[in-house]
């Protein structure tokens, strides 16, 4: 047998002999000869003749590719059959994206058997129910056979031809599907976990991360051929562009996740606008490919643009001091290495040869990226929790101080009440003594009676003044401290009390002047505490030309919002206002912006005002604003 193979191995294309000691052999270099059929009209008889324009050339690269997507490529390999082998043998092609593969298998007499496979044919037509393409070899007779392969694909494909024993194939396939199970299982676990986090905290970056992971998983399934095997085995047309849809989802949701995780809208507005522009451009390209030419989906190198934008965004935000971005940058660094490695492999850069790690390098980098992006999300949540705990401690401290102040004021009020009560008791004793004297002094009865009436009037005045002082002290305590809405409502429990207070500071005890004609006489208007000009009938509402004009918020809640923003010097957030007042956050933000602007405009006036009346300086002389709905 060695003497038979000697003429074939001494020169020209070498013959690869079947040996039990070597379970697999990958054809590379001079072991493969190729012929490009640009028009795609060469017959097998022309190719087999191998003369003139149909003459094969030796391969200069380790792995052949269909560089011109419009051409048909013919490949020729030589295999030395060995019937003494105890194993069954197959030819296998790794790249699952090849559309049409026609293999011509020789026999000893020089006749050929034609077998057709590829991802444009139903999956059930394959000889093995496996994601790769396998062709059984007949190894019962010893002879050197020349095999021809006709390859046609709409996207760039690596024509990796492997001679492999069936036992090696089974072992390799089981190991590979096990690894696939781990990889896609990780994708599903990461997706499910982050979906639960989104449902729990309603932060949109979790949803974008879930969609990004699912698109990554779908893209890898399309590239690996697993999607064709398990998702659409009877719809081969999906193989032509499903990977393009998945890759579009990867780009869009990666950029959306970048915006949500890194707060680019707030931390880098110009960069955020550029990210949106890239998303729009990517969407336009996707629609063009989908509607006009699905073969354009094969230009996968364009995904380097969204990847580079996301990578740069992470570096830019990290340089601004945002710590969770460090894991984001690390994850995209690995993903960038995977894309670059795949690009170099596609360009056949010297030193990068085909192998298991090489072939699955992008999948490995996707796994590393998912891990580091999960770290980035966790780091962000940890920082937010730390800030929340710090804010809660500050609130507790403020509540403690408020409680102490309230106890101090209550003690002072109790002391004043006791003092007034003692004075009342003393005056009552005096009155009793005078009454006894009156019974003894009948001649001075009239004079004593008048004195008693005067003293009773003074006592009533003192009691009224005492009650007024208690109300004033309570109001002063409320206006000078942070109180909750329930306690604030004791001072302004309803619309009537709020309108009464507004009327008092707006018209300053009956000093009315019509805004249209300047007349100073008025009647009561149609609504509570409104005033209607006696001359021109102009009816002015009590909330007109105040900060409460046109508001749809309940007036006592609007009072409390002004009070809270003033007492916190504008530092309270719209989220906190929404939580306290049970009003939408957007409404709180818009109304708080109005109040903060007035506070800024009247900074000097507020600085000179007393702490108990400063907030009321924000109310008057405001023009109408857009209607705010609760």
């Amino acid at each position: 047998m060695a003497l038979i193979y000697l003429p074939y191995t001494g020169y020209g294309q070498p013959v690869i002999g079947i040996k039990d000691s070597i379970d697999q052999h990958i054809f590379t270099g001079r072991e493969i000869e190729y012929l490009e059929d640009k028009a795609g009209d060469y017959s097998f008889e022309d190719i087999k003749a191998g003369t003139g324009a149909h003459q094969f050339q030796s391969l200069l690269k380790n792995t052949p590719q269909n560089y011109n997507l419009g051409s048909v490529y013919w490949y020729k390999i030589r295999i030395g059959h060995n019937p003494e082998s105890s194993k069954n043998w197959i030819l296998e092609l790794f790249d699952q994206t090849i559309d049409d593969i026609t293999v011509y298998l020789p026999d000893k007499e020089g006749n050929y058997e034609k077998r057709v496979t590829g991802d444009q044919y139903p999956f059930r037509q394959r000889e093995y129910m496996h994601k790769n393409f396998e062709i059984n070899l007949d190894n019962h007779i010893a002879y050197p056979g020349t095999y021809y392969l006709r390859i046609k694909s709409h996207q760039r494909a690596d024509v990796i031809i492997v001679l492999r024993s069936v036992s090696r194939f089974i072992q390799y396939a089981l190991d590979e599907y096990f690894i696939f199970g781990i990889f896609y299982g990780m994708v599903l676990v990461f997706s499910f976990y982050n979906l639960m986090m989104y449902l729990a905290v309603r932060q949109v970056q979790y949803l974008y991360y879930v969609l990004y992971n699912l698109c990554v998983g779908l893209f890898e399934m399309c590239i690996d051929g697993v999607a064709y095997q398990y998702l659409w085995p009877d719809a081969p047309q999906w193989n032509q562009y499903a990977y393009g849809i998945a890759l579009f989802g990867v780009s869009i949701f990666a950029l959306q996740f970048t915006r949500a995780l890194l707060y680019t809208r707030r931390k880098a507005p110009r960069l955020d606008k550029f990210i949106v522009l890239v998303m729009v451009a990517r969407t336009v390209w996707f629609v063009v490919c989908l509607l006009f030419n699905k073969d354009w989906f094969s230009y996968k190198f364009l995904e380097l643009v969204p990847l580079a934008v996301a990578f740069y965004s992470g570096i830019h935000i990290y340089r601004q001091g945002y710590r969770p971005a460090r894991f984001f940058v690390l994850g995209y660094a690995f993903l960038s290495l995977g894309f670059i490695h795949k690009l170099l492999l596609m360009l056949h850069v010297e030193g990068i040869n085909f192998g298991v790690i090489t072939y699955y390098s992008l999948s490995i980098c996707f796994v590393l990226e998912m891990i580091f992006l999960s770290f980035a999300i966790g780091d962000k949540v940890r920082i937010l929790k730390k800030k929340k705990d710090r804010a809660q401690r500050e609130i507790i401290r403020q509540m403690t101080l408020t409680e102490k102040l309230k106890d101090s004021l209550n003690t002072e009020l109790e002391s004043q009440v006791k003092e007034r009560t003692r004075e009342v008791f003393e005056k009552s004793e005096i009155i009793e003594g005078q009454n006894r004297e009156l019974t003894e002094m009948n001649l001075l009865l009239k004079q004593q009676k008048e004195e008693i009436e005067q003293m009773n009037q003074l006592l009533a005045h003192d009691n009224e003044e005492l009650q007024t002082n208690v109300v004033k002290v309570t109001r002063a305590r409320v206006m000078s401290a942070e109180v909750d809405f329930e306690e604030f409502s004791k001072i302004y429990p309803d619309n009537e009390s709020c309108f009464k207070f507004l009327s008092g500071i707006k018209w300053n005890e009956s000093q009315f002047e019509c805004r249209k004609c300047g007349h100073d006489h008025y009647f009561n208007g149609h609504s509570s505490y409104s005033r209607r000009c006696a001359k021109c009938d102009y009816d002015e509402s009590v909330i007109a030309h105040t900060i409460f004009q046109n508001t749809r918020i309940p007036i006592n809640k609007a009072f409390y919002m002004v009070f809270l923003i003033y007492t916190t010097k504008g530092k309270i957030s719209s989220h906190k206002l929404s939580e306290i007042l049970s009003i939408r956050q957007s409404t709180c933000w818009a109304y708080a912006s109005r109040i903060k602007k007035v506070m800024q405009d009247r900074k000097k006036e507020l600085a000179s005002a007393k702490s108990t009346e400063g907030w009321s300086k924000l109310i008057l002389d405001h023009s109408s604003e857009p209607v705010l709905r609760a």
Side-chain angles (χ1 to χ4, degrees), residues 28-30 32 58-64 67 347-350:
T28 59
R30 291 179 55 250
I32 305 177
S58 295
L59 187 67
L60 300 178
K61 301 291 184 180
N62 285 335
T63 303
Y67 296 98
L347 297 176
H348 293 286
V349 175
E350 292 295 332

Side-chain angles (χ1 to χ4, degrees), residues 461-475:
H461 181 269
D462 288 342
N463 286 334
E464 182 180 356
E465 183 180 357
L466 176 61
Q467 293 177 358
T468 303
N469 288 340
V470 170
V471 173
K472 288 182 178 180
V473 170
T474 302
R475 178 172 294 176

Side-chain angles (χ1 to χ4, degrees), residues 214-404:
L214 293 178
C215 288
V216 167
L218 180 59
F219 172 71
E220 285 293 319
M221 291 180 74
C222 293
I223 297 302
D224 293 335
V226 177
Y228 185 31
Q229 182 174 359
Y230 294 107
L231 299 184
W232 52 80
D234 296 323
Q237 63 273 13
W238 268 90
N239 295 323
Q240 310 306 311
Y241 57 89
Y243 69 94
I245 297 175
L247 205 55
F248 168 72
V250 170
S251 298
I252 295 299
F253 293 122
L255 292 176
Q256 284 286 48
F257 174 72
T258 300
R259 297 179 66 209
L261 180 71
L262 303 180
Y263 298 119
T264 55
R265 182 180 298 180
R266 175 166 54 88
K267 294 179 178 293
R270 295 178 62 184
L271 179 59
D272 183 75
K273 292 180 181 179
F274 181 72
I275 293 175
V276 172
L277 181 63
V278 172
M279 292 170 59
V280 171
R282 181 64 180 86
T283 303
V284 171
W285 174 248
F286 170 75
V287 172
V288 169
C289 294
L290 193 63
L291 297 180
F292 296 100
N293 190 345
K294 296 181 178 62
D295 291 345
W296 292 344
F297 280 129
S298 62
Y299 299 127
K300 295 188 283 289
F301 64 88
L302 293 176
E303 302 308 315
L304 288 173
V305 176
L307 172 64
V309 171
F311 192 21
Y312 173 77
S313 300
I315 295 174
H316 180 74
I317 299 300
Y318 178 66
R319 293 181 62 185
Q320 292 184 359
Y322 186 58
R323 289 182 58 79
R326 67 189 189 277
F327 291 114
F328 183 89
V329 172
L330 194 57
Y332 269 89
F334 279 107
L335 188 58
S336 300
L337 289 176
F339 268 102
I340 293 173
H341 183 270
K342 277 290 185 181
L343 181 62
L344 296 178
L345 187 66
M346 182 181 68
L347 297 176
H348 293 286
V349 175
E350 292 295 332
I352 302 179
N353 295 321
F354 173 78
V356 175
I357 300 299
T358 301
Y359 189 77
Y360 292 109
S361 60
L362 187 58
S363 300
I364 296 172
C365 291
F366 269 130
V367 171
L368 293 174
E369 185 222 19
M370 285 191 295
I371 293 173
F372 284 111
L373 289 185
S374 298
F375 286 160
I377 295 176
D379 200 27
K380 178 181 178 180
V381 172
R382 182 185 62 81
I383 292 175
L384 291 176
K385 184 177 182 300
K386 187 176 180 181
K387 290 181 179 179
K388 180 180 179 181
D389 293 342
R390 186 163 53 246
Q392 288 179 343
R393 289 195 296 269
E394 181 63 22
I395 291 173
I396 293 173
R397 188 182 70 82
Q398 292 293 337
M399 292 177 64
T400 303
L401 293 177
T402 302
E403 188 68 24
K404 290 181 179 179

Side-chain angles (χ1 to χ4, degrees), residues 565-576:
I565 294 174
Y566 173 76
T567 55
T568 60
K569 298 181 180 180
K571 294 181 180 179
I572 190 168
S573 67
S574 59
H575 293 279
K576 189 63 178 179

